Amino acid sequence: MRLPVKNMVFPMILLRLAEWLLYKLLAKSCYRAAMKVKNSGFFFKNSSFRSSHQIPLYPNINKCNLHGRKSETVACDIQGTLISQSFFPYFMLIAFEGGSIIRALLLLLSSPLLLVLDFELKMRVMIFITFCGMKLKDAESVGRAVLPKFFLENLNVHVYDVLKSAGSRVVFTSVPRVMVEGFLNEYLSVDCVKGTELHTVGKYFTGFVSSEGILIKHRALKEFVEEKRPDIGLGTSSLHDHLFISLCKEAYVVNKEDEKTNTTSSSILPREKYPKPLVFHDGRLAFLPTPLATLAMFMWLPIGIPLAIFRVFIGICLPYKVVIFLGKLSGIRLRVKGTDPPRSENGKGVLYVCSHRTLLDPVFLSTSLGKPLTAVTYSLSKMSEILAPIKTVRLTRSRKRDGETMQRLLSEGDLVVCPEGTTCREPYLLRFSSLFAELADEIVPVAMNTNVGMFYGTTASGLKCLDPIFFMMNPRPCYTVEILGKLVKELTCAGGKSSHEVANYIQRQLAAALGFECTNLTRRDKYLMLAGNEGVVEDQSSRINKPN
């Protein structure tokens, strides 16, 4: 009896899939065996002949002369060259930050399959899972505000030095252009970026590449340069890269040995050599989401979410000493330096002036001092306002009205203010608003700092009401509270100083205590950059170390 055709379809699909996987595994095994035979010198009767005559086709990138290159053009790839590692973590950042946690989970589940796929299929699968149904503006936002931090932290210093020495820079990559163009243009001043283009419908990605397909570097370079070849070509020791850099006048490779040591300090571009200061960035993930690191995150979430709720609950409901004890047991590290200065007898409260790391700064200060404080803020979600264990008052950004509000609050008790006006994750202090200096003479600077390993407790584009939850979800979050001495009268407005002089002095004092740098950047600069209106603020690099 013949089975119906429809009952045969599924077994045939499984058979075809098994046949294809077997072919892939056998092909890879044969290739590896052939490479072992080749490398062992089996076909050479005289092993000394082989060792003396087999030399690399192209020299190591360390051999490239960097002098006198300002009139020359360099061509390279970002994948494997500028960033000498798998690009999976950067697709994961797009999936998580621009998509959702479900999309990130699907990408993680696909990682075992990616191991057996060839390069083109692997790229197509990652592109489909990451971009299918995603808005163009969301992907562009992540490429501009999230990825640059991770690119800079994994940038090959030798490749960067060659790029910096050349007058013109072009990048050809199989990675989607939308992922890398913002970083390459803004931070490395690349003149032209050629990458894989993605298919779109309206304002959404379909998850497929455009009709041109995955970009083939050597073909794209031929079409781009026509008869004028780039002066320098940079690549890896792979066959595709050899075809690519062979079209250049000079060619250099990043060898496998360099790739293995790329995580060491000698191969990674140090922060002080960054082409532009990394002051602002967005996103929730505080780690590079490799497959193993992402798996660890997903395994932690069923523990981290209830733990965060527990930590928030004890902060709201229990006395300060109990909160500190239970918080320490749950993994929160609270480090307090200095002591609270004695209160004056003028009847007014003390004004605590803090650096601003998260929305929890006033809460941790209040807990550290063991007394209730009032915090003023410019923007606070209703949920954060309800859950806050201390009194919070919203300001209006009207200087006159806000001054009157803060004067009234100081007459009622101690007050906490963060004059930066917004949070900053990196070791920089933004410009201080001088309003607070006009309102009080009893001023106590407080240096606040945080350290997280999994999630950032701040966001510029996400749901701010979840900021405390994300911070508390970290396995071992750390808060450092350093109470500096009360400002002497001679350094306040009552002592003849202007409000700007007082604000600048406290900014420098806090920066020295934290080991940070002062900037003249403001909240407006932060949101201009992270919103992408003009990209990086035009004069940002020149404003570092320049207090107002």
Side-chain angles (χ1 to χ4, degrees):
M1 182 177 178
R2 182 175 294 180
L3 291 173
V5 174
K6 64 179 180 179
N7 293 336
M8 297 284 290
V9 173
F10 185 66
M12 287 299 295
I13 292 175
L14 288 178
L15 184 62
R16 288 290 179 87
L17 180 60
E19 181 184 10
W20 177 79
L21 287 173
L22 182 62
Y23 166 77
K24 284 289 180 183
L25 291 173
L26 287 175
K28 282 202 168 190
S29 299
C30 292
Y31 173 75
R32 288 171 183 162
M35 291 303 294
K36 284 183 179 180
V37 171
K38 174 180 176 294
N39 293 332
S40 66
F42 180 79
F43 295 108
F44 291 94
K45 293 182 179 180
N46 189 342
S47 59
S48 62
F49 173 86
R50 175 183 178 272
S51 61
S52 62
H53 287 76
Q54 189 179 31
I55 59 174
L57 185 58
Y58 296 110
N60 189 287
I61 191 171
N62 295 328
K63 305 295 182 182
C64 181
N65 181 13
L66 302 180
H67 301 290
R69 299 286 192 177
K70 289 301 180 184
S71 61
E72 297 184 355
T73 300
V74 60
C76 71
D77 189 359
I78 186 172
Q79 183 181 17
T81 308
L82 273 166
I83 308 294
S84 302
Q85 61 179 212
S86 165
F87 238 70
F88 177 90
Y90 306 101
F91 279 97
M92 179 60 73
L93 285 166
I94 294 280
F96 185 90
E97 307 288 3
S100 65
I101 194 170
I102 302 299
R103 188 187 295 269
L105 179 60
L106 291 175
L107 184 59
L108 176 64
L109 294 175
S110 73
S111 57
L113 174 64
L114 298 177
L115 295 175
V116 299
L117 298 180
D118 61 27
F119 176 79
E120 182 174 343
L121 278 176
K122 182 188 299 184
M123 189 65 67
R124 288 180 180 272
V125 169
M126 288 195 294
I127 288 172
F128 181 80
I129 297 174
T130 302
F131 289 96
C132 181
M134 183 179 292
K135 290 182 178 180
L136 273 67
K137 68 174 184 178
D138 291 338
E140 291 167 356
S141 175
V142 175
R144 179 183 62 252
V146 179
L147 291 182
K149 165 187 162 58
F150 295 95
F151 285 146
L152 287 171
E153 290 178 347
N154 294 279
L155 199 61
N156 188 301
V157 64
H158 306 301
V159 181
Y160 169 72
D161 286 340
V162 176
L163 277 182
K164 187 174 66 172
S165 68
S168 179
R169 309 169 183 98
V170 290
V171 170
F172 297 85
T173 181
S174 301
V175 175
R177 179 180 55 81
V178 69
M179 290 179 63
V180 299
E181 187 173 39
F183 166 72
L184 292 172
N185 288 341
E186 294 293 345
Y187 283 88
L188 301 185
S189 301
V190 171
D191 301 287
C192 181
V193 179
K194 294 289 183 180
T196 297
E197 299 293 340
L198 303 184
H199 184 260
T200 60
V201 174
K203 298 180 180 179
Y204 294 86
F205 291 106
T206 63
F208 299 101
V209 300
S210 66
S211 57
E212 290 83 5
I214 300 291
L215 183 134
I216 307 299
K217 288 184 287 188
H218 65 276
R219 294 177 185 170
L221 180 57
K222 281 182 180 179
E223 296 173 0
F224 178 76
V225 301
E226 295 179 351
E227 295 182 0
K228 185 180 179 182
R229 298 191 299 165
D231 299 281
I232 308 171
L234 306 177
T236 65
S237 54
S238 69
L239 174 61
H240 289 294
D241 274 19
H242 277 212
L243 291 173
F244 171 64
I245 61 180
S246 66
L247 300 174
C248 304
K249 296 176 183 177
E250 296 179 48
Y252 301 91
V253 295
V254 178
N255 289 326
K256 290 182 179 179
E257 290 75 15
D258 299 324
E259 295 175 20
K260 291 177 182 177
T261 60
N262 193 43
T263 56
T264 65
S265 58
S266 61
S267 297
I268 296 295
L269 186 71
R271 174 181 285 272
E272 59 269 16
K273 290 186 67 175
Y274 282 1
K276 290 185 179 181
L278 179 67
V279 181
F280 302 126
H281 59 87
D282 205 9
R284 290 292 190 186
L285 297 184
F287 64 97
L288 185 69
T290 61
L292 286 178
T294 308
L295 177 61
M297 180 197 72
F298 276 103
M299 292 175 66
W300 171 254
L301 285 179
I303 303 172
I305 295 174
L307 182 61
I309 296 172
F310 169 75
R311 288 167 170 172
V312 171
F313 174 79
I314 63 173
I316 296 173
C317 302
L318 301 180
Y320 297 117
K321 290 184 178 180
V322 179
V323 170
I324 293 175
F325 176 72
L326 292 180
K328 186 176 181 180
L329 286 181
S330 72
I332 297 176
R333 294 171 291 167
L334 177 59
R335 298 170 181 169
V336 182
K337 302 177 184 179
T339 56
D340 192 19
R343 186 168 180 174
S344 66
E345 299 179 357
N346 62 4
K348 278 192 173 185
V350 174
L351 181 63
Y352 294 93
V353 180
C354 302
S355 55
H356 202 8
R357 309 309 281 177
T358 77
L359 291 176
L360 296 172
D361 293 336
V363 175
F364 274 90
L365 178 59
S366 177
T367 303
S368 302
L369 297 176
K371 65 179 182 180
L373 300 173
T374 301
V376 291
T377 177
Y378 287 109
S379 58
L380 192 68
S381 68
K382 270 292 182 186
M383 179 181 290
S384 299
E385 200 169 358
I386 294 170
L387 294 178
I390 63 174
K391 181 180 178 181
T392 59
V393 177
R394 294 193 188 197
L395 298 180
T396 62
R397 297 196 185 276
S398 166
R399 192 176 182 88
K400 182 180 178 181
R401 290 177 60 186
D402 291 343
E404 292 172 352
T405 300
M406 292 170 67
Q407 283 280 23
R408 175 178 55 80
L409 294 172
L410 276 170
S411 65
E412 298 172 358
D414 297 334
L415 185 64
V416 183
V417 62
C418 299
E420 289 176 276
T422 188
T423 56
C424 182
R425 300 172 176 178
E426 295 300 311
Y428 298 97
L429 288 183
L430 308 184
R431 187 177 71 192
F432 277 25
S433 168
S434 61
L435 175 61
F436 73 90
E438 303 171 6
L439 306 176
D441 303 327
E442 299 288 322
I443 300 175
V444 178
V446 182
M448 310 286 292
N449 200 8
T450 60
N451 185 28
V452 296
M454 190 172 288
F455 301 108
Y456 285 116
T458 61
T459 182
S461 56
L463 293 173
K464 296 190 74 66
C465 62
L466 296 180
D467 284 0
I469 300 296
F470 270 100
F471 180 84
M472 292 298 185
M473 279 171 58
N474 283 285
R476 297 272 293 166
C478 178
Y479 238 103
T480 302
V481 180
E482 184 175 358
I483 304 167
L484 307 182
K486 185 186 294 185
L487 222 61
V488 296
K489 185 176 180 180
E490 290 74 17
L491 295 175
T492 66
C493 291
K497 298 291 184 180
S498 70
S499 60
H500 290 286
E501 288 176 321
V502 176
N504 288 340
Y505 174 78
I506 294 179
Q507 184 196 32
R508 291 192 297 267
Q509 192 180 23
L510 291 178
L514 293 165
F516 289 2
E517 291 184 48
C518 293
T519 78
N520 201 31
L521 301 170
T522 65
R523 176 186 180 276
R524 179 175 178 273
D525 294 325
K526 172 183 173 179
Y527 282 91
L528 275 173
M529 179 178 176
L530 299 185
N533 296 338
E534 294 292 336
V536 178
V537 180
E538 184 177 351
D539 58 346
Q540 175 174 328
S541 59
S542 65
R543 295 167 71 179
I544 298 296
N545 294 320
K546 293 182 181 178
N548 59 319

